[in-house]
Amino acid sequence: MPDPSRELEIARWVSIYSKRYQDRDLGGPTLNDDGSAESLIDIRFDSASPPVALEVTSIVDPPFIATARTADPVADELTTVALDEGLGRWYVEVVAGTHLRPIKDAILQVIKALAPLPPGVLKVTPAEGGEPGVVIGTWSSTGARPLPGITTELQEAINANRAKLSQAQGYERHLAVDLRAPRASDPSMSPMPPLPTEVDVLWVVRTSITASRKDPMAWWSTGGGWATSHDWGL
């Protein structure tokens, strides 16, 4: 089911990044899709010149989201111990879908070189630089690396939404993909699919699952390759 609050959040970042990187003021977003008809575009920016119609879709991996939401609290608790015991800085890589709280103590034992890796943990390595503590990163459910790009999924999103965008006559038509899945953060891993005439601008917005990153990573294109926010990358 569409989540209007999520759509407005993505629209807000589209507006912020349009202003920050393109010096273009879209104005405030208006939620346009009230669920009364499938043909309604999600968001309008009527004060933009030209006005902008924005459709929001998503690439979502529920196991990734579930693990990522617990990563920061568990990392904070491990960081407290690391600081108290002078353990340094560590990076922990876990598989999406892993329940972190039951294995928190086991991760600590790995850091202390007292135990093998528990199930769901791919790697525990000392990290150079930065403040002492523990950072937890969530990978795919298979643990495969490098993470895949999203070119095929972007093409599917374009195909699924181009007819709806075509009805936004008189508007510049934007498609935003809300990325909440274990995929490569480097846009060079996701070559641009061709944009049809119904899509003027394609956005990928990767917001943090937790609150640890203030601004999301974002990429956008009018068809000539990706432009990126300063926040992209792992």
Side-chain angles (χ1 to χ4, degrees):
M1 289 289 294
D3 180 352
S5 65
R6 187 73 195 174
E7 293 169 353
L8 283 169
E9 173 71 4
I10 297 301
R12 187 173 73 87
W13 283 111
V14 167
S15 178
I16 288 171
Y17 281 170
S18 292
K19 180 65 174 177
R20 184 180 300 175
Y21 297 108
Q22 304 169 26
D23 196 27
R24 184 183 181 191
D25 188 357
L26 299 184
T30 298
L31 186 64
N32 185 65
D33 187 354
D34 61 4
S36 61
E38 292 185 2
S39 60
L40 290 175
I41 293 293
D42 291 330
I43 303 289
R44 301 192 326 267
F45 293 92
D46 289 326
S47 63
S49 181
V52 169
L54 173 67
E55 185 67 16
V56 180
T57 187
S58 62
I59 299 172
V60 176
D61 185 311
F64 172 79
I65 293 175
T67 299
R69 279 180 174 158
T70 62
D72 275 7
V74 170
D76 287 345
E77 294 170 19
L78 290 171
T79 291
T80 298
V81 177
L83 290 170
D84 289 345
E85 300 186 16
L87 299 177
R89 182 174 176 83
W90 293 83
Y91 184 66
V92 180
E93 300 176 15
V94 301
V95 174
T98 300
H99 298 287
L100 291 175
R101 193 157 296 283
I103 63 171
K104 182 190 74 174
D105 291 339
I107 293 173
L108 182 59
Q109 294 305 305
V110 174
I111 291 173
K112 294 180 176 182
L114 298 175
L117 294 176
V121 177
L122 297 170
K123 188 183 294 186
V124 177
T125 54
E128 297 182 1
E131 297 294 324
V134 177
V135 176
I136 298 177
T138 306
W139 291 78
S140 68
S141 58
T142 64
R145 289 176 285 181
L147 292 174
I150 57 172
T151 298
T152 298
E153 289 163 298
L154 290 177
Q155 184 64 67
E156 291 170 351
I158 290 169
N159 293 343
N161 290 280
R162 59 187 298 182
K164 189 174 181 181
L165 284 165
S166 71
Q167 299 180 54
Q169 299 297 320
Y171 284 79
E172 184 177 276
R173 293 167 290 199
H174 292 221
L175 175 62
V177 177
D178 176 14
L179 178 57
R180 289 178 289 156
R183 303 291 189 271
S185 295
D186 183 348
S188 69
M189 297 290 290
S190 302
M192 264 293 302
L195 294 186
T197 57
E198 298 91 344
V199 180
D200 297 305
V201 185
L202 176 65
W203 293 82
V204 177
V205 182
R206 183 170 191 165
T207 53
S208 177
I209 304 303
T210 67
S212 61
R213 181 186 288 269
K214 284 186 177 180
D215 293 354
M217 309 169 198
W219 336 326
W220 58 93
S221 179
T222 57
W226 292 116
T228 68
S229 74
H230 66 284
D231 299 300
W232 76 267
L234 288 173

